[in-house]
Amino acid sequence: MLYQGEQLKEIRFPLGGIGTGSVCIAGNGRLCDWEIMNRPNKGRMNGQSHFAVAATVNGKRYVRVLEGDTLGEFTGPYRKKAFSGYGFGVNETLSGFPHFKHVEFNGEFPVATLTFWDENFPGKVQLTAFNPFIPGNADDSSLPAAFFTVRFINDTAEKIDYQTAFSVWCPFDPSHNQNVSQGAYHAVKLYNPAETDENAKLYGDLTIATEGEGGTQTFWYRGGWIDGLVTYWNEFETGTLRPREYETPSRGDVATVWRNLSAAAGESAEAQFTLTWSFANCYNYWNPYKDEKGEDVMWKNYYATRFHSSVETAKYCTENFSRLQKQTLDFKNELFNSTLHPTFIDALSANLSTLKSPTVLRLTDGSFWAWEGVHELEGSCEGTCQHVWNYAYALCFLFPELERSIRNMELNNTYQESGATEFRIPLPLGRKYPPFRACVDGQMGTVIKIYREWKICGDDEWLRSVWHKVKKMIAYAWSEENPDAWDRNKDGVLEGRQHHTLDMEAFGPTPWLQGFYFAALSAGAEMARYLGEEETAKEYETVRASGYNWCKENLFNGEYFEQKVDLTDRALLEKFNCADTYWNEEAGEIKYQILGGCFADQLCGAWHANVNGLPPVFDKKQQAAALNAIVKYNVKDTLRDFFNPWRIYALNDEGGTVNCTYPAGAKRPYIPIPYCQETFSGWEYEI
């Protein structure tokens, strides 16, 4: 997808490995959101870190920061600080430097290509940025690094000599830089000289590197005010970046590596750079967990088990740059040259970027762990939440060993002998939280996913090793040990208290949760039969058939599937001791239910069944009608006149798919299901 002008404003393209954190490249080329220290850090700009380019033609030198115009809050953001923030102007140090007038951003994840040109700069410049994304190769897709290629396109009639420089600010206090170059390999390590304990929380380092004709400036000039920045630009403007070393630590040092290139008329030349980082030690900062000494329990990032430092990572990345880039481009080109509609390709590729964001961690043994999302400075909703990560289908097909690692963690850390599972995996592993009720779509979704992982990996021994737990997870629906009595009479109909992904509970059968239940029963039957347990398979099929027939007769209203529940039945809540939360005394009814609504996720279980090759969860004709109803009632071309008191993900004349709507004549609760009017981006793909 090509973006220009105002379209560039909100672009943040993550450059990092799976579980390593990332640095983003903005739509105008600015390096931003430096989230490499094991937690989110939206808005961190890391000082004057940037690329700069120079072109010399017939003795005249032209220089530019490799960025376009600043887009955003020209008055300044609210920061509540003196000499910064609102009223202080653009908070972008390099916005006042010569930069390019024109930028075109081609975002084809996992590769971003920015093209810069200016009437006052000879030729064009392309910046290609990526981190390896190689399906089937999780290790090379988990490198703590950002890869850059700066390509000069000489479309003039003259030979041009080029120089490109990559400068990075050292984020430590105190800071120090170390030249680690070897021959034509130019590299600088940035680190904290006062922190020598490799097990300390913030022990770490960064390395910038390039290879070829070029050099390093280990330190910018140290002085007062902005002496270093002024001196650096004076030197770059005149092509005299000089070697500079300081023996003592300081604060806010900047290092630069550069390449010199030439291109004849009509030709091009390119230079490759890497930025690598190493912050090995993780700890639970959001809900601290202490050892007997009162110290935070820590664990190592997976990448730290492969590379001792960012210096080692940089060497590996430089030596393998061409291979890693080619294999990444192979995947990108296969996707973007496919016959899928460009809208689908854009959606598919853009959502893959979550895997390269601070949403994701890889634990010491390589296991995949994730948040539901991230806030500005911390993760949001921990533990690779079962029902949230139910929606994610990239990892299982592109990096199946990582997806299977989630199943192993769930079964080893959240499974209870009753057959219930906690739907979050606490960190550090082995930690236990006070028990909470199991989640229907989360637990049944996990059964479906275990079936899926077995079908993808073909590892029968793995299936046998987990099968005893899978059976108890399914049977928990009717188990006497289930205090929520999902399907206590084992008739295939979920009539109990059912926790779900919208953060409350359903009372009475819904097509949404029934679909998960039916798909899990079908998956269980196939696994049981494969393992020679015919009676178990028949048991699951009998329960499923009973519920299937009941839903066909009772949940379909002629257009779509709805919830069956008597909202006036307070005794239903008292049975589960939750009337204080769910009873609306004024209206005399149960709160937070769907009832007669057309629910966007009513066929979510059917979607899982379809993707995984399981039998349809509902009658095919009814299911087709329900799909048409969702498109008719939930897909909105404009939201200008639509009431949404929840989170705003689409607004004004934008369109979107609404969570739950109530067509004329539909029975509507006085207070319906949470997030009822929201437009989650993603429902469109499922539908």
Side-chain angles (χ1 to χ4, degrees):
M1 295 287 288
L2 295 175
Y3 302 91
Q4 291 180 309
E6 284 293 318
Q7 296 173 332
L8 303 174
K9 182 179 177 182
E10 302 298 342
I11 292 175
R12 299 292 186 273
F13 193 104
L15 304 169
I18 300 174
T20 70
S22 60
V23 175
C24 282
I25 186 165
N28 71 340
R30 181 77 161 109
L31 296 176
C32 61
D33 295 352
W34 289 65
E35 302 175 284
I36 58 179
M37 297 183 180
N38 300 320
R39 64 185 298 170
N41 202 346
K42 303 299 178 192
R44 182 183 176 90
M45 307 305 286
N46 203 54
Q48 295 87 29
S49 302
H50 72 285
F51 282 93
V53 294
T56 303
V57 184
N58 296 325
K60 184 175 181 180
R61 186 174 171 92
Y62 304 81
V63 293
R64 292 282 187 278
V65 172
L66 196 56
E67 296 175 15
D69 290 350
T70 295
L71 302 169
E73 300 165 313
F74 300 133
T75 309
Y78 289 102
R79 292 196 173 179
K80 313 299 183 186
K81 294 180 180 180
F83 300 103
S84 177
Y86 187 79
F88 204 71
V90 178
N91 195 45
E92 295 274 348
T93 306
L94 300 178
S95 296
F97 281 49
H99 55 274
F100 286 87
K101 184 176 181 180
H102 305 286
V103 183
E104 183 179 78
F105 190 107
N106 186 9
E108 295 183 338
F109 191 85
V111 180
T113 302
L114 293 82
T115 303
F116 302 85
W117 69 98
D118 194 301
E119 291 78 2
N120 297 316
F121 189 89
K124 292 183 177 180
V125 186
Q126 279 188 341
L127 175 65
T128 300
F130 73 99
N131 178 280
F133 195 103
I134 307 167
N137 185 344
D139 279 359
D140 279 346
S141 302
S142 301
L143 294 170
F147 292 68
F148 304 95
T149 298
V150 179
R151 183 170 179 249
F152 296 97
I153 303 169
N154 183 0
D155 55 7
T156 74
E158 304 284 343
K159 176 191 174 186
I160 302 178
D161 293 324
Y162 291 107
Q163 186 176 57
T164 180
F166 183 27
S167 301
V168 171
W169 183 76
C170 186
F172 305 102
D173 183 15
S175 67
H176 205 59
N177 301 338
Q178 179 184 359
N179 193 328
V180 291
S181 304
Q182 295 176 339
Y185 175 70
H186 312 288
V188 179
K189 172 186 173 183
L190 296 76
Y191 66 104
N192 179 353
E195 186 57 83
T196 58
D197 181 2
E198 294 187 1
N199 294 313
K201 289 180 182 177
L202 295 181
Y203 180 85
D205 47 68
L206 294 76
T207 298
I208 52 175
T210 188
E211 190 168 44
E213 182 185 337
T216 62
Q217 186 173 79
T218 311
F219 293 90
W220 283 9
Y221 173 75
R222 288 180 180 174
W225 287 78
I226 56 171
D227 297 359
L229 183 59
V230 171
T231 302
Y232 157 75
W233 194 251
N234 287 340
E235 292 177 349
F236 188 70
E237 276 190 315
T238 57
T240 57
L241 287 170
R242 67 187 68 185
R244 187 178 292 112
E245 297 285 344
Y246 294 105
E247 293 183 1
T248 58
S250 183
R251 181 179 182 275
D253 280 318
V254 182
T256 301
V257 296
W258 75 83
R259 284 288 314 280
N260 297 324
L261 304 155
S262 295
E267 295 185 356
S268 62
E270 65 181 37
Q272 298 172 339
F273 296 87
T274 58
L275 164 70
T276 57
W277 55 88
S278 179
F279 294 90
N281 305 311
C282 295
Y283 69 100
N284 190 322
Y285 63 85
W286 59 94
N287 188 3
Y289 186 68
K290 309 289 186 178
D291 61 18
E292 62 277 3
K293 297 179 181 178
E295 297 177 351
D296 287 304
V297 175
M298 292 191 291
W299 64 92
K300 296 286 184 184
N301 269 317
Y302 175 67
Y303 68 73
T305 68
R306 298 187 63 210
F307 304 101
H308 182 256
S309 68
S310 64
V311 176
E312 290 185 8
T313 309
K315 195 68 174 175
Y316 178 85
C317 293
T318 301
E319 291 172 351
N320 292 276
F321 195 113
S322 296
R323 174 183 65 83
L324 297 170
Q325 184 176 43
K326 178 185 180 303
Q327 292 176 338
T328 301
L329 287 172
D330 285 346
F331 167 69
K332 192 271 290 187
N333 291 335
E334 283 291 327
L335 176 57
F336 282 85
N337 292 332
S338 73
T339 57
L340 287 170
H341 191 281
T343 300
F344 299 147
I345 295 174
D346 183 51
L348 284 165
S349 60
N351 281 285
L352 290 178
S353 66
T354 300
L355 297 177
K356 296 303 190 101
S357 74
T359 307
V360 171
L361 299 177
R362 286 191 70 183
L363 307 183
T364 308
D365 66 355
S367 295
F368 181 99
W369 186 97
W371 302 93
E372 293 184 28
V374 293
H375 300 297
E376 292 182 17
L377 298 176
E378 62 183 23
S380 172
C381 307
E382 67 176 325
T384 329
C385 181
Q386 280 182 335
H387 41 274
V388 172
W389 280 85
N390 269 345
Y391 293 96
Y393 265 86
L395 198 68
C396 64
F397 291 116
L398 300 180
F399 303 100
E401 70 273 31
L402 297 186
E403 184 70 51
R404 188 148 61 120
S405 74
I406 305 173
R407 304 290 84 76
N408 289 331
M409 282 195 295
E410 287 175 319
L411 295 173
N412 292 330
N413 293 276
T414 72
Y415 175 82
Q416 301 170 13
E417 283 306 308
S418 64
T421 56
E422 296 284 341
F423 52 82
R424 301 188 189 279
I425 305 169
L427 289 181
L429 289 182
R431 181 181 187 180
K432 298 296 182 183
Y433 286 162
F436 187 74
R437 58 184 28 85
C439 177
V440 177
D441 51 339
Q443 179 148 323
M444 295 302 160
T446 295
V447 172
I448 298 166
K449 289 181 287 189
I450 289 170
Y451 168 83
R452 180 189 68 194
E453 267 63 273
W454 165 58
K455 295 300 284 285
I456 288 174
C457 75
D459 188 342
D460 293 348
E461 289 305 312
W462 178 73
L463 177 62
R464 291 188 178 94
S465 72
V466 302
W467 177 237
H468 66 290
K469 293 183 178 180
V470 176
K471 287 196 294 184
K472 293 196 72 172
M473 289 169 65
I474 295 172
Y476 186 72
W478 53 81
S479 170
E480 292 289 337
E481 295 185 71
N482 183 346
D484 291 335
W486 294 345
D487 181 18
R488 183 58 54 80
N489 62 1
K490 202 177 178 182
D491 65 351
V493 181
L494 296 170
E495 297 151 326
R497 179 180 184 175
Q498 304 151 60
H499 191 68
H500 54 69
T501 193
L502 298 184
D503 297 324
M504 298 303 285
E505 276 95 45
F507 300 89
T510 70
W512 171 35
L513 301 179
Q514 287 290 158
F516 273 97
Y517 189 27
F518 294 158
L521 287 166
S522 293
E526 185 176 334
M527 289 186 284
R529 185 163 284 120
Y530 184 84
L531 295 174
E533 297 188 17
E534 185 63 26
E535 290 304 311
T536 302
K538 289 180 179 179
E539 177 187 23
Y540 296 159
E541 289 170 340
T542 299
V543 175
R544 183 192 181 284
S546 172
Y548 176 95
N549 292 330
W550 188 92
C551 289
K552 184 176 180 179
E553 296 298 322
N554 292 277
L555 290 191
F556 189 71
N557 66 11
E559 278 193 288
Y560 55 86
F561 298 97
E562 59 183 27
Q563 181 189 17
K564 287 291 183 184
V565 61
D566 180 1
L567 292 188
T568 67
D569 185 6
R570 181 185 172 96
L572 182 59
L573 302 180
E574 292 172 345
K575 176 182 177 181
F576 297 105
N577 195 30
C578 59
D580 289 347
T581 301
Y582 286 93
W583 185 248
N584 182 341
E585 184 66 37
E586 181 177 287
E589 67 176 34
I590 301 173
K591 295 190 288 186
Y592 313 134
Q593 305 303 295
I594 299 170
L595 198 59
C598 185
F599 187 54
D601 254 345
Q602 64 185 273
L603 297 176
C604 189
W607 173 61
H608 281 285
N610 183 277
V611 172
N612 290 291
L614 293 165
V617 300
F618 298 122
D619 176 85
K620 285 186 176 182
K621 290 183 179 179
Q622 292 180 343
Q623 185 168 294
L627 276 173
N628 285 326
I630 295 170
V631 174
K632 178 180 178 180
Y633 296 123
N634 297 59
V635 179
K636 305 293 184 182
D637 293 330
T638 176
L639 294 166
R640 183 164 292 278
D641 297 321
F642 187 77
F643 163 68
N644 177 16
W646 296 94
R647 296 167 296 188
I648 307 299
Y649 298 128
L651 76 168
N652 301 334
D653 292 322
E654 294 177 328
T657 301
V658 175
N659 185 355
C660 189
T661 61
Y662 290 85
K667 297 177 182 178
R668 176 190 175 100
Y670 197 79
I671 301 177
I673 193 166
Y675 317 114
C676 180
Q677 295 91 346
E678 277 193 5
T679 53
F680 291 179
S681 58
W683 269 317
E684 294 84 358
Y685 317 142
E686 174 192 313
I687 294 164

